[in-house]
Amino acid sequence: MWRLHPARAERRAREIVRDLLVRAGVPEDGVNDLELVAAELAANGVQHAEPPLEMRVLFAGSSRRPVWCEIADADPFLGRVPDLLRPPPVLDGDDLDALIDTLSTDGRGLSMVHTLTSGHCAAYPTTTLSRPGIGKAIGFSLL
């Protein structure tokens, strides 16, 4: 577990993911995409959540390969996050209001997270190690 300081959260999340994936032998394209995902989730945590912000990585197998990464915070409110991590709806070309809603700046980063992880991402209740009570995590697959 790494605590992410708000002033450096995005950069630190990128560094951690890059280091773990390079050591695990993940190809550069995959490393770059997952670095971007980690940075986006860290930035969202700084902007929208309650501290502390923690990054946790789960490992599996005898090689201790990193398989799941999550950014956790102390704010239990999930809001629209689970919906924004799902595939975008198929729109009728005549529904201008729905098209405008999907193009809004709010939530585009989570749509990118869904795309770059091929949908292997989720939001769920959790706790942080450094503050009591229920918070939330947004996690994604590193495989």
Side-chain angles (χ1 to χ4, degrees):
M1 189 276 304
W2 296 265
R3 279 201 64 186
L4 300 177
H5 186 277
R8 300 181 305 276
E10 296 158 61
R11 177 179 294 170
R12 186 68 180 128
R14 288 178 91 105
E15 289 170 352
I16 293 165
V17 166
R18 173 165 284 283
D19 181 55
L20 292 171
L21 295 178
V22 165
R23 282 198 266 162
V26 174
E28 188 70 20
D29 288 348
V31 171
N32 291 337
D33 287 350
L34 294 172
E35 257 189 304
L36 185 58
V37 168
E40 175 63 25
L41 295 179
N44 284 353
V46 168
Q47 185 173 4
H48 301 291
E50 281 184 44
L53 200 58
E54 299 174 353
M55 183 172 186
R56 302 184 284 218
V57 177
L58 304 173
F59 295 85
S62 59
S63 64
R64 300 221 3 107
R65 179 173 168 82
V67 295
W68 187 259
C69 179
E70 63 185 16
I71 306 290
D73 64 69
D75 182 359
F77 184 65
L78 287 168
R80 293 182 30 210
V81 172
D83 293 331
L84 294 169
L85 288 173
R86 292 190 184 108
V90 177
L91 300 175
D92 175 6
D94 295 330
D95 190 352
L96 187 56
D97 289 333
L99 180 60
I100 289 170
D101 285 344
T102 64
L103 296 175
S104 77
T105 57
D106 186 33
R108 282 194 304 192
L110 293 176
S111 295
M112 177 197 67
V113 167
H114 177 273
T115 299
L116 291 177
T117 63
S118 301
H120 298 122
C121 52
Y124 40 88
T126 191
T127 58
T128 59
L129 296 175
S130 48
R131 185 169 164 187
I134 300 296
K136 71 176 167 299
I138 303 174
F140 60 97
S141 174
L142 293 169
L143 296 177

